[in-house]
Amino acid sequence: MAHQWRGVIREYLDRLPFEASDPVVTLGEGGTPLIEAPALAKLLGVGSVHLKFEGMNPTGSFKDRGMTTAVSKAKAKGAQAVIAASTGNTSASAAAYAVKAGMQSVVLVPAGKISWGKLSQAVAHKAQILQVKGNFDDCLRIARDLSENYPVFLVNSVNPDRLQGQKTASFEVVDVLGQAPDLHAMPLGNAGNISAYHLGYKEELAEGRIKAMPRLFGIQAEGSAPFIKGSPVEKPETIATAIRIGNPASWDLAQAAKAETQGGFGAVSDREILWMHRFLSQEAGVFVEPSSATGAAGLYKLSQQGELPKADTVVITVTGHGLKDPDWALKDQSGRKIKPKRVSATAGAVADLLGLERK
Ligand SMILES: *Cc1c(COP(=O)(O)O)cnc(C)c1O
């Protein structure tokens, strides 16, 4: 019989803090494709580029990897309700996994700064959604307070169970490539993801499955770049809402990921993000939400500045699916709305419009 991927806890049971008898709440997350992108390799001037397409997870972002572990642990502790602060994808994921676990979910989102696609997921999975009059950092502060003082279980990435699940993405990269890439880039927001990849690769090194660590690069949006500034940003601004975070929770872990791998941090403008968002759709066949194009946009910027380290194999994590926030694809480069042409219902009229000659 064909084998179905069993989700990251069962696939990597011996690498996670779980016993075979522990409750597992899964929607089959992980096992996402690593897609070679020759057009991007050419653009960057490197040997090969592979996109780790995390939009292929059950709720459309990498957050599911950490949600399966966090909600499974919450279930083992008898939790009735989970709470998350979110720019959108954590709430979508928390809501779905709470349904699977038979729990309530409460999500705190910044007022007006969450995409409709993500909000619709939280609504669909009957989360109690509260729009906080503040930004993501305010939401996280409140969620932490509530989880300490009320009977709700925090499933943000400050919960160490989240990073355990998320580290499996580096295992999958090594499983496919048979080695670590020379360089691995991703968008950088609250910094849970880069910390989790670092943890995963360190374990691969300790197990002898890779010979050297990849250089880890985290890329921010210019208007929301505390790691470039060196201190928190009071009022983060960017169209890349998933990384619109001024006070990253995993600050020290991200600094260690950079320092211990000779990696780097970078920042790109919203314009550069949207340019790469389009490039990935049109040249790689991979449709991501704008935030997810940030890692590739950052490497492109470094290559243009002549500062991209020499690399044979590059992996770039694209974190979430394009259908989360599709409006950006429906605008042309000057911001005008793109509408399909209307045509009469005959083959001749369609052929004329397409400029086709009869055979
Ligand atoms: C959460 C998220 C990020 C940022 O990841 P961090 O772990 O917060 O650094 C980037 N892109 C998408 C699509 C996300 O959902």
Side-chain angles (χ1 to χ4, degrees):
M1 255 211 351
H3 167 75
Q4 172 168 285
W5 179 265
R6 295 164 297 170
V8 299
I9 295 176
R10 294 200 178 101
E11 292 291 336
Y12 293 108
L13 190 64
D14 57 335
R15 315 282 303 270
L16 291 169
F18 280 84
E19 304 295 329
S21 56
D22 288 341
V24 173
V25 180
T26 180
L27 292 167
E29 62 296 313
T32 56
L34 194 63
I35 302 167
E36 193 162 4
L40 192 52
K42 197 165 162 216
L43 184 75
L44 300 181
V46 298
S48 67
V49 173
H50 306 259
L51 299 171
K52 182 67 172 155
F53 189 16
E54 290 289 276
M56 295 298 284
N57 277 295
T59 77
S61 84
F62 74 84
K63 299 300 197 296
D64 295 341
R65 291 181 185 277
M67 209 53 73
T68 185
T69 43
V71 174
S72 296
K73 287 287 185 197
K75 185 150 182 102
K77 288 174 190 149
Q80 307 278 316
V82 294
I83 188 167
S86 178
T87 60
N89 283 332
T90 298
S91 59
S93 186
Y97 282 80
V99 166
K100 189 74 201 285
M103 292 178 199
Q104 295 265 314
S105 64
V106 180
V107 302
L108 304 180
V109 298
K113 298 291 182 186
I114 159 170
S115 77
W116 286 106
K118 299 174 191 178
L119 192 59
S120 71
Q121 290 180 286
V123 173
H125 298 304
K126 61 175 186 183
Q128 293 200 52
I129 305 162
L130 299 174
Q131 293 222 345
V132 174
K133 294 177 201 158
N135 58 29
F136 170 82
D137 304 300
D138 297 314
C139 295
L140 183 55
R141 176 176 48 77
I142 296 165
R144 286 175 113 151
D145 186 326
L146 286 172
S147 71
E148 278 159 27
N149 298 302
Y150 300 84
V152 287
F153 202 90
L154 185 68
V155 293
N156 277 100
S157 61
V158 292
N159 174 336
D161 300 326
R162 280 276 305 277
L163 297 198
Q164 286 295 322
Q166 285 180 206
K167 77 183 180 187
T168 58
S170 33
F171 299 168
E172 290 176 19
V173 170
V174 174
D175 287 346
V176 172
L177 296 180
Q179 56 170 334
D182 300 312
L183 196 155
H184 189 147
M186 69 200 74
L188 178 58
N190 213 24
N193 207 24
I194 197 168
S195 307
Y197 273 102
H198 185 217
L199 178 63
Y201 281 124
K202 272 197 297 193
E203 292 183 8
E204 293 288 78
L205 189 66
E207 297 256 328
R209 298 186 71 231
I210 59 175
K211 290 196 191 71
M213 293 290 283
R215 304 172 77 145
L216 294 176
F217 278 75
I219 313 295
Q220 304 215 277
E222 271 173 4
S224 175
F227 284 106
I228 301 299
K229 189 179 166 221
S231 59
V233 172
E234 192 82 28
K235 289 201 167 60
E237 273 308 335
T238 169
I239 56 104
T241 50
I243 52 172
R244 191 173 169 274
I245 292 168
N247 190 11
S250 299
W251 181 271
D252 295 341
L253 291 177
Q255 295 288 1
K258 176 189 168 205
E260 290 171 20
T261 70
Q262 279 95 52
F265 298 140
V268 286
S269 66
D270 284 358
R271 226 190 142 74
E272 290 165 321
I273 291 171
L274 289 174
W275 187 90
M276 184 55 75
H277 173 250
R278 183 181 301 262
F279 184 90
L280 294 175
S281 300
Q282 300 192 346
E283 306 295 331
V286 175
F287 185 31
V288 302
E289 63 173 284
S291 309
S292 303
T294 307
L299 293 192
Y300 181 40
K301 187 169 185 173
L302 286 175
S303 78
Q304 283 178 309
Q305 295 167 337
E307 284 169 20
L308 186 66
K310 259 183 78 75
D312 196 26
T313 312
V314 172
V315 170
I316 303 174
T317 298
V318 288
T319 42
H321 203 285
L323 292 173
K324 294 265 190 185
D325 202 358
D327 284 353
W328 296 102
L330 292 170
K331 288 180 197 144
D332 67 15
Q333 242 133 357
S334 43
R336 275 186 303 263
K337 233 184 149 103
I338 295 168
K339 285 205 194 100
K341 285 180 189 151
R342 291 179 73 98
V343 62
S344 317
T346 68
V350 173
D352 276 353
L353 243 173
L354 296 175
L356 299 177
E357 303 260 344
R358 189 173 271 280
K359 287 197 275 193

